[in-house]
Each structure stands twice: as structure tokens, then as C-alpha cells.
Amino acid sequence: MIEKVIPIRLESGAAAAAPPWDGTPPRDALARPLRDLRISVTDRCNFRCVYCMPREVFDANHAFLPHSAILSFEEIARTARIFVGLGVKKIRLTGGEPLVRKDLHKLVALLAPLGADLTLTTNGSLLARQAPKLREAGLQRVTVSLDSLDDATFRRMNDADVAVTTVLEGIAAAAAAGLAPVKINMVVKRAMNDHQIVDLARHFRGSGHVVRFIEYMDVGSTNGWRMDDVVPSAEVLARINAHFPLESLDPQYAGEVAARWRYRDGAGEIGVISSVTQAFCRDCNRIRLSTEGALFTCLFASAGHDLKALLRGGGSDEAIRDRIAALWNGRSDRYSEIRTAETARLRKVEMSYIGG
Ligand code: SAM
Ligand code: SF4
Ligand code: SF4
């Protein structure tokens, strides 16, 4: 049964002051460093992907956040600067669809000087127009989601009548603007788009872009996830390997989400993200800042930690820093390693709200 979106539960961060940060890079309870900050800049989207924002839930009656509730660009940039001071090396803008947030390039311009690797995940539908100004503002790369090259399948999945060509134009514009190599995310859902796996691999072979095949995940509470709908990455690799032989590549850095493979004939590489069948919590160094300023230490969290009260209540940079460090030091999340049919039914926060 498809459920309605759960109200977000927030642990208050303003009331109790955190102990002062001791100056050492935060390590969580499982000794994982804090490296990767994902910022959701909007909970809105112009798509209604069936696995993320099913239209029957995210309909005309769905209450998106009012503008007054969402962090301003200045508030986001201030928070990001504090994160970089704590050791964050990578910042990814996401959502919802980040390119529906007005003047996003202005946020990019505020974040670029922080010196972290700066990227964006987008559905690509608005990218063709925005790619040059995002690049000029200092964006380094983009990841574009594309679940099928077959128009009917793609429209069925985005449920917003957007054509494949629109996204392909976005990818081309991004590459032309210098936001390359482009990563292309395909969420694979059995009996919906798994017939497109080899087609996507074939299309982008030799292009310099890297397709990443993502196992369909039990994020949120509204997508009606079932294990039967997951196509394990091992099967994805076997199907591609039968056409284009592959060999594995070493990770580029600890905590890399995608396992990398290259075509033996030198036509480039692909990745697989196996959150369901081969959990990678062991090295997870990611934290998420939601659109309205709450921190989530796991994609599958059921509660967030309010930072906005500090940001808007006169909290100093040091107080915010101490709060983040204390939160990370106490973190022990490893949801994908302990996933069961029961946990999949738990009420979790929606991915469109905390950012993918
Ligand atoms: N709107 C942007 C987009 O689609 O690229 C950014 C946000 S989206 C939530 C980030 C990524 O999460 C996308 O690549 C999307 O395909 C992926 N995603 C969303 N729901 C998912 C699910 N249930 N399982 C696996 N990946 C999912
Ligand atoms: Fe929108 Fe991205 Fe979710 Fe699709 S996956 S509904 S494009 S936020
Ligand atoms: Fe990280 Fe949570 Fe995903 Fe594990 S389940 S990899 S802890 S976000």
C-alpha cells in the first residue's frame, strides 16, 4: 500500500549546547570521517518519478515547504563553510530538482570559493539552459539522471511527460560547458526499465561519460518498494558483460559509492551502486542538509537534527560547528547493512526532501 509522506521528526539542536569541538577531524562511532556534504536546495521537482515522488502522493494537495521555511543561499553557504572547516571535501547540490530553485548559479558562486569539490545532481530537464552559467559560477561537474533511452519507458518513469531528447540535450550542453565527465544515473527497476540496461551502456560507451546503474532502494515510505523489484548489480554487470566485456577497477578514494568497471576494449567505464545487495555503510562519510536546515546522518533516517534554530537564532559559527561535530561523533548509522523486509517498512524520510 502506498502511504502518505510522513511528517519530519526533528531532534532539537538549539536547546542544549554541544561540547566544544576539540579541533580534530570528527570521526563517528564507527571511525568514519566526515567528507561529503549533500545539500538539498528544494523539496520541489518538475518530475514525478515513480520510485521517488509518486504522483498519487505528491499531488496537487501535497504541501511543499513555504519559501520562509527553506534556507537562504547565504544560510546554506555559511553552513557549508563551517562543514569545510570540519574537513568536508565534497559538496553536492541536490533535491528535489535543484535546477527548479531560482538563480541556483548564485548559490554555486557562493560555494565555489570554499575549495571543496562542487557538483550537482539533476534530472537534466532544465540543464541545457543553465549549464553555461552554472559552469561560470564555479560548478565543476554534474550527474544527470536518465532511466531509459526509450521515450515511452522514460515518460512512464518520470510521469511528467518529459522526453528523452530533452535530457540528452542537457547532457550535451553540460559537456559543452565543461561540466565533464558527466555521470549518468540510471535507477534500475525490474520489469520497468531493466530492458534498457544494455542500451544505455551501448549509447554512452566511448562518449567519456560514465553511466552508473543504481539498485532501486527503499527510501522514504511512499514508493511501494519490494525486494522483487530490485535488479542486483551483479545481474546488471553480467548483462552488460555479455555484450561488452568488463573488468573491475580500483576505487579512486575510500568511501566511493559506485564500484567502478571498465570496458576491456577501452571504451570507457561504468559504475554500479549496490546499496541493497552489497551495502557500503562501512565507509559512508556522507551527511545531508535538508532544504529547511536539518541534518540527516543517513539516507534512511526517520529523524533529522535541527540546525536552522541555531542559524536563525543568533548561534555563532563556533556553536554551529560544535553541534555538527558532536552530531557526527555520535553517529552509528548503517541502515543498508541491517536492512530486512521489516526495516524496509519503517517510516523514513523522503529522498526528495533530504536530497539524494
Ligand atoms: N532530481 C535530481 C535527480 O533526479 O537527479 C536530484 C535528486 S534525486 C532524489 C537524486 C538521485 O536519487 C537520482 O539519481 C535518482 O534517480 C535517485 N533516486 C531517487 N529515488 C531512488 C530510489 N528509490 N532508489 C534509488 N535511487 C533513487
Ligand atoms: Fe524529482 Fe529526482 Fe525524485 Fe525524479 S528522482 S522525482 S527527478 S527528485
Ligand atoms: Fe550511509 Fe546510511 Fe547509506 Fe549506509 S545506509 S551507506 S550509513 S547513507
Side-chain angles (χ1 to χ4, degrees), residues 28 30 32 217 257 275 279-288 296-301 328 331-339:
D28 73 7
L30 301 174
R32 298 169 295 191
M217 296 185 290
V257 173
S275 160
F280 38 77
C281 301
R282 186 66 234 115
D283 293 319
C284 178
N285 51 26
R286 290 176 290 286
I287 195 163
R288 290 174 163 84
F296 290 82
T297 55
C298 179
L299 181 55
F300 298 88
W328 189 263
R331 171 190 191 243
S332 59
D333 304 275
R334 46 190 283 269
Y335 176 85
S336 287
E337 289 181 351
I338 55 172
R339 174 187 285 108

PDB file of all heavy atoms in Angstrom, residues 28 30 32 217 257 275 279-288 296-301 328 331-339, ligand 3:
ATOM      1  N   ASP A  28      33.027   9.312  13.406  1.00  0.00           N
ATOM      2  CA  ASP A  28      31.811   8.838  14.055  1.00  0.00           C
ATOM      3  C   ASP A  28      32.099   7.601  14.902  1.00  0.00           C
ATOM      4  O   ASP A  28      33.256   7.179  15.030  1.00  0.00           O
ATOM      5  CB  ASP A  28      30.686   8.642  13.036  1.00  0.00           C
ATOM      6  CG  ASP A  28      30.872   7.421  12.151  1.00  0.00           C
ATOM      7  OD1 ASP A  28      31.800   6.621  12.390  1.00  0.00           O
ATOM      8  OD2 ASP A  28      30.072   7.258  11.210  1.00  0.00           O
ATOM      9  N   LEU A  30      31.774   4.648  14.371  1.00  0.00           N
ATOM     10  CA  LEU A  30      32.389   3.543  13.626  1.00  0.00           C
ATOM     11  C   LEU A  30      33.685   4.012  12.949  1.00  0.00           C
ATOM     12  O   LEU A  30      34.122   3.419  11.962  1.00  0.00           O
ATOM     13  CB  LEU A  30      31.399   2.983  12.600  1.00  0.00           C
ATOM     14  CG  LEU A  30      30.080   2.462  13.200  1.00  0.00           C
ATOM     15  CD1 LEU A  30      29.100   2.051  12.099  1.00  0.00           C
ATOM     16  CD2 LEU A  30      30.354   1.280  14.129  1.00  0.00           C
ATOM     17  N   ARG A  32      34.321   6.545  11.069  1.00  0.00           N
ATOM     18  CA  ARG A  32      34.217   7.072   9.708  1.00  0.00           C
ATOM     19  C   ARG A  32      34.373   8.598   9.721  1.00  0.00           C
ATOM     20  O   ARG A  32      33.729   9.280  10.523  1.00  0.00           O
ATOM     21  CB  ARG A  32      32.865   6.682   9.086  1.00  0.00           C
ATOM     22  CG  ARG A  32      32.691   5.173   8.968  1.00  0.00           C
ATOM     23  CD  ARG A  32      31.263   4.782   8.607  1.00  0.00           C
ATOM     24  NE  ARG A  32      30.307   5.126   9.639  1.00  0.00           N
ATOM     25  CZ  ARG A  32      29.041   4.708   9.662  1.00  0.00           C
ATOM     26  NH1 ARG A  32      28.585   3.935   8.685  1.00  0.00           N
ATOM     27  NH2 ARG A  32      28.235   5.061  10.639  1.00  0.00           N
ATOM     28  N   MET A 217      16.063   1.530  -4.402  1.00  0.00           N
ATOM     29  CA  MET A 217      16.172   1.488  -2.936  1.00  0.00           C
ATOM     30  C   MET A 217      14.839   1.774  -2.240  1.00  0.00           C
ATOM     31  O   MET A 217      13.961   2.442  -2.793  1.00  0.00           O
ATOM     32  CB  MET A 217      17.190   2.536  -2.461  1.00  0.00           C
ATOM     33  CG  MET A 217      18.602   2.276  -2.927  1.00  0.00           C
ATOM     34  SD  MET A 217      19.758   3.455  -2.206  1.00  0.00           S
ATOM     35  CE  MET A 217      19.345   4.984  -3.011  1.00  0.00           C
ATOM     36  N   VAL A 257      31.022   5.633  -3.620  1.00  0.00           N
ATOM     37  CA  VAL A 257      29.739   4.935  -3.596  1.00  0.00           C
ATOM     38  C   VAL A 257      29.639   3.896  -4.719  1.00  0.00           C
ATOM     39  O   VAL A 257      29.142   2.787  -4.514  1.00  0.00           O
ATOM     40  CB  VAL A 257      28.600   5.978  -3.723  1.00  0.00           C
ATOM     41  CG1 VAL A 257      27.256   5.297  -3.881  1.00  0.00           C
ATOM     42  CG2 VAL A 257      28.595   6.887  -2.500  1.00  0.00           C
ATOM     43  N   SER A 275      23.487  -0.438  -3.155  1.00  0.00           N
ATOM     44  CA  SER A 275      23.106  -0.130  -1.782  1.00  0.00           C
ATOM     45  C   SER A 275      22.305  -1.273  -1.150  1.00  0.00           C
ATOM     46  O   SER A 275      22.337  -1.450   0.060  1.00  0.00           O
ATOM     47  CB  SER A 275      22.293   1.153  -1.794  1.00  0.00           C
ATOM     48  OG  SER A 275      21.539   1.281  -0.641  1.00  0.00           O
ATOM     49  N   ALA A 279      25.935  -3.611   0.656  1.00  0.00           N
ATOM     50  CA  ALA A 279      25.918  -2.342   1.390  1.00  0.00           C
ATOM     51  C   ALA A 279      27.327  -1.792   1.579  1.00  0.00           C
ATOM     52  O   ALA A 279      28.278  -2.552   1.743  1.00  0.00           O
ATOM     53  CB  ALA A 279      25.257  -2.565   2.738  1.00  0.00           C
ATOM     54  N   PHE A 280      27.436  -0.475   1.529  1.00  0.00           N
ATOM     55  CA  PHE A 280      28.759   0.144   1.672  1.00  0.00           C
ATOM     56  C   PHE A 280      28.772   1.128   2.840  1.00  0.00           C
ATOM     57  O   PHE A 280      29.444   2.149   2.807  1.00  0.00           O
ATOM     58  CB  PHE A 280      29.186   0.823   0.367  1.00  0.00           C
ATOM     59  CG  PHE A 280      28.047   1.509  -0.355  1.00  0.00           C
ATOM     60  CD1 PHE A 280      27.561   2.720   0.079  1.00  0.00           C
ATOM     61  CD2 PHE A 280      27.471   0.915  -1.470  1.00  0.00           C
ATOM     62  CE1 PHE A 280      26.517   3.344  -0.578  1.00  0.00           C
ATOM     63  CE2 PHE A 280      26.415   1.536  -2.142  1.00  0.00           C
ATOM     64  CZ  PHE A 280      25.941   2.750  -1.694  1.00  0.00           C
ATOM     65  N   CYS A 281      28.011   0.813   3.891  1.00  0.00           N
ATOM     66  CA  CYS A 281      27.961   1.695   5.059  1.00  0.00           C
ATOM     67  C   CYS A 281      29.332   1.833   5.731  1.00  0.00           C
ATOM     68  O   CYS A 281      29.638   2.856   6.338  1.00  0.00           O
ATOM     69  CB  CYS A 281      26.975   1.161   6.085  1.00  0.00           C
ATOM     70  SG  CYS A 281      25.302   0.991   5.462  1.00  0.00           S
ATOM     71  N   ARG A 282      30.114   0.758   5.643  1.00  0.00           N
ATOM     72  CA  ARG A 282      31.416   0.699   6.314  1.00  0.00           C
ATOM     73  C   ARG A 282      32.246   1.975   6.084  1.00  0.00           C
ATOM     74  O   ARG A 282      32.938   2.441   6.962  1.00  0.00           O
ATOM     75  CB  ARG A 282      32.125  -0.550   5.745  1.00  0.00           C
ATOM     76  CG  ARG A 282      33.409  -0.976   6.311  1.00  0.00           C
ATOM     77  CD  ARG A 282      33.332  -1.457   7.752  1.00  0.00           C
ATOM     78  NE  ARG A 282      34.289  -0.706   8.560  1.00  0.00           N
ATOM     79  CZ  ARG A 282      33.978   0.124   9.544  1.00  0.00           C
ATOM     80  NH1 ARG A 282      32.741   0.304   9.921  1.00  0.00           N
ATOM     81  NH2 ARG A 282      34.896   0.782  10.188  1.00  0.00           N
ATOM     82  N   ASP A 283      32.168   2.518   4.869  1.00  0.00           N
ATOM     83  CA  ASP A 283      32.967   3.700   4.538  1.00  0.00           C
ATOM     84  C   ASP A 283      32.110   4.948   4.338  1.00  0.00           C
ATOM     85  O   ASP A 283      32.570   5.916   3.725  1.00  0.00           O
ATOM     86  CB  ASP A 283      33.751   3.447   3.234  1.00  0.00           C
ATOM     87  CG  ASP A 283      34.814   2.380   3.418  1.00  0.00           C
ATOM     88  OD1 ASP A 283      35.484   2.398   4.470  1.00  0.00           O
ATOM     89  OD2 ASP A 283      34.952   1.523   2.530  1.00  0.00           O
ATOM     90  N   CYS A 284      30.880   4.922   4.813  1.00  0.00           N
ATOM     91  CA  CYS A 284      29.974   6.041   4.481  1.00  0.00           C
ATOM     92  C   CYS A 284      30.382   7.312   5.228  1.00  0.00           C
ATOM     93  O   CYS A 284      30.355   7.358   6.464  1.00  0.00           O
ATOM     94  CB  CYS A 284      28.537   5.675   4.814  1.00  0.00           C
ATOM     95  SG  CYS A 284      27.414   7.039   4.490  1.00  0.00           S
ATOM     96  N   ASN A 285      30.736   8.321   4.460  1.00  0.00           N
ATOM     97  CA  ASN A 285      31.218   9.569   5.063  1.00  0.00           C
ATOM     98  C   ASN A 285      30.319  10.751   4.689  1.00  0.00           C
ATOM     99  O   ASN A 285      30.759  11.878   4.640  1.00  0.00           O
ATOM    100  CB  ASN A 285      32.666   9.820   4.624  1.00  0.00           C
ATOM    101  CG  ASN A 285      32.811   9.726   3.112  1.00  0.00           C
ATOM    102  OD1 ASN A 285      31.841   9.948   2.386  1.00  0.00           O
ATOM    103  ND2 ASN A 285      34.008   9.427   2.630  1.00  0.00           N
ATOM    104  N   ARG A 286      29.018  10.431   4.437  1.00  0.00           N
ATOM    105  CA  ARG A 286      28.099  11.440   3.917  1.00  0.00           C
ATOM    106  C   ARG A 286      27.136  11.973   4.981  1.00  0.00           C
ATOM    107  O   ARG A 286      26.611  11.217   5.788  1.00  0.00           O
ATOM    108  CB  ARG A 286      27.259  10.844   2.780  1.00  0.00           C
ATOM    109  CG  ARG A 286      28.039  10.574   1.529  1.00  0.00           C
ATOM    110  CD  ARG A 286      27.191   9.895   0.482  1.00  0.00           C
ATOM    111  NE  ARG A 286      26.865   8.533   0.834  1.00  0.00           N
ATOM    112  CZ  ARG A 286      27.712   7.519   0.799  1.00  0.00           C
ATOM    113  NH1 ARG A 286      28.960   7.712   0.417  1.00  0.00           N
ATOM    114  NH2 ARG A 286      27.336   6.311   1.142  1.00  0.00           N
ATOM    115  N   ILE A 287      26.888  13.291   4.909  1.00  0.00           N
ATOM    116  CA  ILE A 287      25.849  13.901   5.736  1.00  0.00           C
ATOM    117  C   ILE A 287      24.959  14.717   4.815  1.00  0.00           C
ATOM    118  O   ILE A 287      25.416  15.187   3.763  1.00  0.00           O
ATOM    119  CB  ILE A 287      26.470  14.764   6.867  1.00  0.00           C
ATOM    120  CG1 ILE A 287      25.425  15.096   7.934  1.00  0.00           C
ATOM    121  CG2 ILE A 287      27.131  16.030   6.317  1.00  0.00           C
ATOM    122  CD1 ILE A 287      26.022  15.570   9.255  1.00  0.00           C
ATOM    123  N   ARG A 288      23.700  14.851   5.174  1.00  0.00           N
ATOM    124  CA  ARG A 288      22.761  15.581   4.323  1.00  0.00           C
ATOM    125  C   ARG A 288      22.158  16.766   5.063  1.00  0.00           C
ATOM    126  O   ARG A 288      21.753  16.624   6.230  1.00  0.00           O
ATOM    127  CB  ARG A 288      21.655  14.633   3.847  1.00  0.00           C
ATOM    128  CG  ARG A 288      22.172  13.611   2.854  1.00  0.00           C
ATOM    129  CD  ARG A 288      21.139  12.573   2.493  1.00  0.00           C
ATOM    130  NE  ARG A 288      21.531  11.883   1.276  1.00  0.00           N
ATOM    131  CZ  ARG A 288      22.363  10.844   1.234  1.00  0.00           C
ATOM    132  NH1 ARG A 288      22.887  10.369   2.343  1.00  0.00           N
ATOM    133  NH2 ARG A 288      22.677  10.283   0.082  1.00  0.00           N
ATOM    134  N   PHE A 296      20.787  15.184   8.406  1.00  0.00           N
ATOM    135  CA  PHE A 296      20.455  13.758   8.426  1.00  0.00           C
ATOM    136  C   PHE A 296      21.747  12.982   8.222  1.00  0.00           C
ATOM    137  O   PHE A 296      22.457  13.208   7.252  1.00  0.00           O
ATOM    138  CB  PHE A 296      19.437  13.422   7.325  1.00  0.00           C
ATOM    139  CG  PHE A 296      18.078  13.994   7.592  1.00  0.00           C
ATOM    140  CD1 PHE A 296      17.788  15.314   7.295  1.00  0.00           C
ATOM    141  CD2 PHE A 296      17.092  13.221   8.179  1.00  0.00           C
ATOM    142  CE1 PHE A 296      16.537  15.853   7.575  1.00  0.00           C
ATOM    143  CE2 PHE A 296      15.831  13.744   8.456  1.00  0.00           C
ATOM    144  CZ  PHE A 296      15.555  15.062   8.152  1.00  0.00           C
ATOM    145  N   THR A 297      22.015  12.068   9.149  1.00  0.00           N
ATOM    146  CA  THR A 297      23.278  11.336   9.078  1.00  0.00           C
ATOM    147  C   THR A 297      23.146  10.035   8.287  1.00  0.00           C
ATOM    148  O   THR A 297      24.114   9.299   8.153  1.00  0.00           O
ATOM    149  CB  THR A 297      23.812  11.039  10.494  1.00  0.00           C
ATOM    150  OG1 THR A 297      22.793  10.341  11.217  1.00  0.00           O
ATOM    151  CG2 THR A 297      24.197  12.318  11.213  1.00  0.00           C
ATOM    152  N   CYS A 298      21.954   9.774   7.748  1.00  0.00           N
ATOM    153  CA  CYS A 298      21.763   8.579   6.907  1.00  0.00           C
ATOM    154  C   CYS A 298      20.606   8.837   5.957  1.00  0.00           C
ATOM    155  O   CYS A 298      19.620   9.487   6.323  1.00  0.00           O
ATOM    156  CB  CYS A 298      21.472   7.358   7.776  1.00  0.00           C
ATOM    157  SG  CYS A 298      21.204   5.838   6.841  1.00  0.00           S
ATOM    158  N   LEU A 299      20.726   8.305   4.756  1.00  0.00           N
ATOM    159  CA  LEU A 299      19.669   8.451   3.749  1.00  0.00           C
ATOM    160  C   LEU A 299      18.370   7.806   4.211  1.00  0.00           C
ATOM    161  O   LEU A 299      17.289   8.173   3.762  1.00  0.00           O
ATOM    162  CB  LEU A 299      20.160   7.791   2.451  1.00  0.00           C
ATOM    163  CG  LEU A 299      19.289   7.813   1.209  1.00  0.00           C
ATOM    164  CD1 LEU A 299      18.879   9.231   0.837  1.00  0.00           C
ATOM    165  CD2 LEU A 299      20.040   7.191   0.041  1.00  0.00           C
ATOM    166  N   PHE A 300      18.476   6.850   5.122  1.00  0.00           N
ATOM    167  CA  PHE A 300      17.295   6.102   5.551  1.00  0.00           C
ATOM    168  C   PHE A 300      16.841   6.516   6.947  1.00  0.00           C
ATOM    169  O   PHE A 300      16.196   5.752   7.656  1.00  0.00           O
ATOM    170  CB  PHE A 300      17.599   4.603   5.496  1.00  0.00           C
ATOM    171  CG  PHE A 300      17.913   4.129   4.108  1.00  0.00           C
ATOM    172  CD1 PHE A 300      19.212   4.163   3.620  1.00  0.00           C
ATOM    173  CD2 PHE A 300      16.907   3.697   3.255  1.00  0.00           C
ATOM    174  CE1 PHE A 300      19.508   3.753   2.331  1.00  0.00           C
ATOM    175  CE2 PHE A 300      17.196   3.292   1.967  1.00  0.00           C
ATOM    176  CZ  PHE A 300      18.492   3.311   1.496  1.00  0.00           C
ATOM    177  N   ALA A 301      17.193   7.727   7.335  1.00  0.00           N
ATOM    178  CA  ALA A 301      16.858   8.192   8.679  1.00  0.00           C
ATOM    179  C   ALA A 301      15.361   8.420   8.829  1.00  0.00           C
ATOM    180  O   ALA A 301      14.648   8.680   7.858  1.00  0.00           O
ATOM    181  CB  ALA A 301      17.612   9.486   8.967  1.00  0.00           C
ATOM    182  N   TRP A 328      28.154  14.318  14.501  1.00  0.00           N
ATOM    183  CA  TRP A 328      28.894  13.323  13.717  1.00  0.00           C
ATOM    184  C   TRP A 328      29.613  12.331  14.655  1.00  0.00           C
ATOM    185  O   TRP A 328      29.608  11.121  14.412  1.00  0.00           O
ATOM    186  CB  TRP A 328      29.896  13.994  12.773  1.00  0.00           C
ATOM    187  CG  TRP A 328      30.483  12.988  11.832  1.00  0.00           C
ATOM    188  CD1 TRP A 328      31.671  12.332  11.974  1.00  0.00           C
ATOM    189  CD2 TRP A 328      29.887  12.484  10.634  1.00  0.00           C
ATOM    190  NE1 TRP A 328      31.845  11.453  10.926  1.00  0.00           N
ATOM    191  CE2 TRP A 328      30.766  11.516  10.095  1.00  0.00           C
ATOM    192  CE3 TRP A 328      28.684  12.754   9.964  1.00  0.00           C
ATOM    193  CZ2 TRP A 328      30.493  10.826   8.917  1.00  0.00           C
ATOM    194  CZ3 TRP A 328      28.403  12.059   8.791  1.00  0.00           C
ATOM    195  CH2 TRP A 328      29.300  11.116   8.278  1.00  0.00           C
ATOM    196  N   ARG A 331      27.451   9.484  15.669  1.00  0.00           N
ATOM    197  CA  ARG A 331      26.730   8.763  14.600  1.00  0.00           C
ATOM    198  C   ARG A 331      27.099   7.272  14.548  1.00  0.00           C
ATOM    199  O   ARG A 331      28.267   6.913  14.642  1.00  0.00           O
ATOM    200  CB  ARG A 331      27.092   9.418  13.271  1.00  0.00           C
ATOM    201  CG  ARG A 331      26.613   8.683  12.030  1.00  0.00           C
ATOM    202  CD  ARG A 331      27.265   9.334  10.819  1.00  0.00           C
ATOM    203  NE  ARG A 331      26.725   8.930   9.556  1.00  0.00           N
ATOM    204  CZ  ARG A 331      27.440   8.275   8.628  1.00  0.00           C
ATOM    205  NH1 ARG A 331      28.690   7.945   8.855  1.00  0.00           N
ATOM    206  NH2 ARG A 331      26.880   7.965   7.483  1.00  0.00           N
ATOM    207  N   SER A 332      26.075   6.437  14.368  1.00  0.00           N
ATOM    208  CA  SER A 332      26.374   4.995  14.231  1.00  0.00           C
ATOM    209  C   SER A 332      25.530   4.361  13.123  1.00  0.00           C
ATOM    210  O   SER A 332      25.382   3.135  13.087  1.00  0.00           O
ATOM    211  CB  SER A 332      26.134   4.284  15.567  1.00  0.00           C
ATOM    212  OG  SER A 332      24.788   4.474  15.948  1.00  0.00           O
ATOM    213  N   ASP A 333      24.991   5.167  12.203  1.00  0.00           N
ATOM    214  CA  ASP A 333      24.087   4.641  11.163  1.00  0.00           C
ATOM    215  C   ASP A 333      24.761   3.589  10.281  1.00  0.00           C
ATOM    216  O   ASP A 333      25.911   3.748   9.880  1.00  0.00           O
ATOM    217  CB  ASP A 333      23.627   5.780  10.236  1.00  0.00           C
ATOM    218  CG  ASP A 333      22.971   6.895  10.985  1.00  0.00           C
ATOM    219  OD1 ASP A 333      21.774   6.811  11.233  1.00  0.00           O
ATOM    220  OD2 ASP A 333      23.690   7.858  11.334  1.00  0.00           O
ATOM    221  N   ARG A 334      24.010   2.559   9.964  1.00  0.00           N
ATOM    222  CA  ARG A 334      24.462   1.549   8.992  1.00  0.00           C
ATOM    223  C   ARG A 334      23.243   0.809   8.435  1.00  0.00           C
ATOM    224  O   ARG A 334      23.198  -0.424   8.355  1.00  0.00           O
ATOM    225  CB  ARG A 334      25.487   0.595   9.622  1.00  0.00           C
ATOM    226  CG  ARG A 334      25.098   0.068  11.000  1.00  0.00           C
ATOM    227  CD  ARG A 334      26.238  -0.658  11.681  1.00  0.00           C
ATOM    228  NE  ARG A 334      26.440  -1.971  11.148  1.00  0.00           N
ATOM    229  CZ  ARG A 334      25.869  -3.088  11.602  1.00  0.00           C
ATOM    230  NH1 ARG A 334      25.013  -3.036  12.619  1.00  0.00           N
ATOM    231  NH2 ARG A 334      26.140  -4.246  11.073  1.00  0.00           N
ATOM    232  N   TYR A 335      22.267   1.598   8.036  1.00  0.00           N
ATOM    233  CA  TYR A 335      20.971   1.035   7.653  1.00  0.00           C
ATOM    234  C   TYR A 335      21.078  -0.075   6.612  1.00  0.00           C
ATOM    235  O   TYR A 335      20.483  -1.149   6.754  1.00  0.00           O
ATOM    236  CB  TYR A 335      20.041   2.145   7.122  1.00  0.00           C
ATOM    237  CG  TYR A 335      18.730   1.582   6.619  1.00  0.00           C
ATOM    238  CD1 TYR A 335      17.681   1.355   7.505  1.00  0.00           C
ATOM    239  CD2 TYR A 335      18.567   1.219   5.287  1.00  0.00           C
ATOM    240  CE1 TYR A 335      16.501   0.788   7.070  1.00  0.00           C
ATOM    241  CE2 TYR A 335      17.390   0.654   4.842  1.00  0.00           C
ATOM    242  CZ  TYR A 335      16.364   0.442   5.738  1.00  0.00           C
ATOM    243  OH  TYR A 335      15.199  -0.139   5.297  1.00  0.00           O
ATOM    244  N   SER A 336      21.848   0.170   5.539  1.00  0.00           N
ATOM    245  CA  SER A 336      21.840  -0.806   4.439  1.00  0.00           C
ATOM    246  C   SER A 336      22.448  -2.139   4.862  1.00  0.00           C
ATOM    247  O   SER A 336      22.144  -3.179   4.275  1.00  0.00           O
ATOM    248  CB  SER A 336      22.585  -0.250   3.222  1.00  0.00           C
ATOM    249  OG  SER A 336      21.795   0.752   2.621  1.00  0.00           O
ATOM    250  N   GLU A 337      23.299  -2.100   5.885  1.00  0.00           N
ATOM    251  CA  GLU A 337      23.892  -3.358   6.350  1.00  0.00           C
ATOM    252  C   GLU A 337      22.907  -4.174   7.176  1.00  0.00           C
ATOM    253  O   GLU A 337      23.089  -5.377   7.343  1.00  0.00           O
ATOM    254  CB  GLU A 337      25.148  -3.063   7.190  1.00  0.00           C
ATOM    255  CG  GLU A 337      26.303  -2.571   6.340  1.00  0.00           C
ATOM    256  CD  GLU A 337      27.571  -2.299   7.151  1.00  0.00           C
ATOM    257  OE1 GLU A 337      27.528  -2.333   8.397  1.00  0.00           O
ATOM    258  OE2 GLU A 337      28.593  -2.024   6.517  1.00  0.00           O
ATOM    259  N   ILE A 338      21.899  -3.510   7.701  1.00  0.00           N
ATOM    260  CA  ILE A 338      20.964  -4.240   8.574  1.00  0.00           C
ATOM    261  C   ILE A 338      19.554  -4.261   7.993  1.00  0.00           C
ATOM    262  O   ILE A 338      18.596  -4.579   8.679  1.00  0.00           O
ATOM    263  CB  ILE A 338      20.945  -3.625  10.002  1.00  0.00           C
ATOM    264  CG1 ILE A 338      20.635  -2.126   9.914  1.00  0.00           C
ATOM    265  CG2 ILE A 338      22.274  -3.852  10.716  1.00  0.00           C
ATOM    266  CD1 ILE A 338      20.407  -1.483  11.277  1.00  0.00           C
ATOM    267  N   ARG A 339      19.452  -3.941   6.694  1.00  0.00           N
ATOM    268  CA  ARG A 339      18.140  -3.896   6.036  1.00  0.00           C
ATOM    269  C   ARG A 339      17.482  -5.272   6.048  1.00  0.00           C
ATOM    270  O   ARG A 339      18.112  -6.289   5.793  1.00  0.00           O
ATOM    271  CB  ARG A 339      18.306  -3.429   4.599  1.00  0.00           C
ATOM    272  CG  ARG A 339      17.025  -3.486   3.788  1.00  0.00           C
ATOM    273  CD  ARG A 339      17.274  -3.184   2.321  1.00  0.00           C
ATOM    274  NE  ARG A 339      17.501  -1.784   2.042  1.00  0.00           N
ATOM    275  CZ  ARG A 339      18.682  -1.268   1.714  1.00  0.00           C
ATOM    276  NH1 ARG A 339      19.746  -2.038   1.654  1.00  0.00           N
ATOM    277  NH2 ARG A 339      18.809   0.013   1.440  1.00  0.00           N
TER     278      ARG A 339
HETATM  279 FE1  SF4 B   3      25.442   5.717   4.551  1.00  0.00          FE
HETATM  280 FE2  SF4 B   3      23.047   5.214   5.622  1.00  0.00          FE
HETATM  281 FE3  SF4 B   3      23.539   4.639   3.049  1.00  0.00          FE
HETATM  282 FE4  SF4 B   3      24.693   3.179   4.993  1.00  0.00          FE
HETATM  283  S1  SF4 B   3      22.513   3.323   4.545  1.00  0.00           S
HETATM  284  S2  SF4 B   3      25.683   3.980   3.142  1.00  0.00           S
HETATM  285  S3  SF4 B   3      25.031   4.777   6.559  1.00  0.00           S
HETATM  286  S4  SF4 B   3      23.516   6.704   3.973  1.00  0.00           S
END
